[in-house]
Amino acid sequence: MMKMTRAVFHMCLVLNALMSFLPTCQAVTLKEEGAANSVEVKFYMESVAKWSQMALFQSTLATEATDYCTSSLSACGLQSAITFQSTSVVLSDGYPKDSESNMLLKFYMTYPDGAIFSKVNSTQKVVVRPSLGAITENAVPTLESNGLTVLQITTGSVTKKVTSS
């Protein structure tokens, strides 16, 4: 067995102390990240049984996300522009669901393959909730011009009522 010198011993103590202060890195699943960064939209007078606008919703959000993240790279945690696809919009478990005479749609948005993240990006797989909330708000005029009425958008604990223009 190798004899440890006093200097090596002290260095080991310092390293062990430093290691105890470093955050532990745990792999985060897509569902966990999605749940932490999801947005909920309430549609007026829609129901799950009659809902036929999913393709429109997804393509509208993908277009708005591409535009928003191109003009706000840092808000999206990106180094360069990317193009989102409809398949980037992922429904949360249990959604859509009816809420009285309205419908709730909770979702998150995944980054497309090839996304290059900035060093300050806080997520690895999905668009952060504040950016997704802004993207969703930007999508309202297009959704409403296609016959959907958005009553409110909920981002975490904040619910914003949407008024038609």
Side-chain angles (χ1 to χ4, degrees):
M1 187 167 220
M2 188 171 131
K3 208 171 191 182
M4 191 180 302
T5 66
R6 184 174 287 202
V8 172
F9 176 75
H10 286 295
M11 188 170 57
C12 287
L13 286 176
V14 169
L15 285 174
N16 282 334
L18 287 173
M19 293 298 282
S20 68
F21 289 108
L22 293 176
T24 56
C25 296
Q26 297 178 355
V28 177
T29 67
L30 177 60
K31 275 193 174 189
E32 290 170 332
E33 235 182 54
N37 291 283
S38 60
V39 169
E40 184 180 79
V41 179
K42 181 184 269 188
F43 290 100
Y44 177 70
M45 297 298 289
E46 292 288 338
S47 69
V48 174
K50 296 179 183 176
W51 179 252
S52 63
Q53 301 293 334
M54 185 55 71
L56 169 70
F57 179 78
Q58 289 174 306
S59 66
T60 301
L61 267 287
T63 299
E64 290 298 334
T66 299
D67 293 347
Y68 180 85
C69 290
T70 297
S71 64
S72 303
L73 290 173
S74 62
C76 291
L78 297 169
Q79 286 185 10
S80 60
I82 54 174
T83 302
F84 288 88
Q85 303 298 319
S86 296
T87 54
S88 296
V89 179
V90 180
L91 293 182
S92 297
D93 289 343
Y95 286 85
K97 65 182 180 182
D98 292 321
S99 173
E100 299 172 6
S101 60
N102 304 309
M103 188 186 77
L104 301 174
L105 190 65
K106 191 172 190 177
F107 65 98
Y108 55 93
M109 183 166 268
T110 60
Y111 289 110
D113 292 338
I116 301 171
F117 303 110
S118 68
K119 292 178 182 173
V120 296
N121 189 34
S122 62
T123 62
Q124 299 170 357
K125 300 168 178 68
V126 303
V127 175
V128 293
R129 182 181 283 155
S131 293
L132 186 55
I135 290 164
T136 305
E137 286 180 40
N138 292 346
V140 169
T142 302
L143 294 171
E144 292 195 340
S145 71
N146 282 282
L148 296 172
T149 302
V150 177
L151 291 177
Q152 66 188 33
I153 299 170
T154 303
T155 54
S157 60
V158 178
T159 297
K160 182 174 182 178
K161 295 194 183 294
V162 178
T163 55
S164 297
S165 48

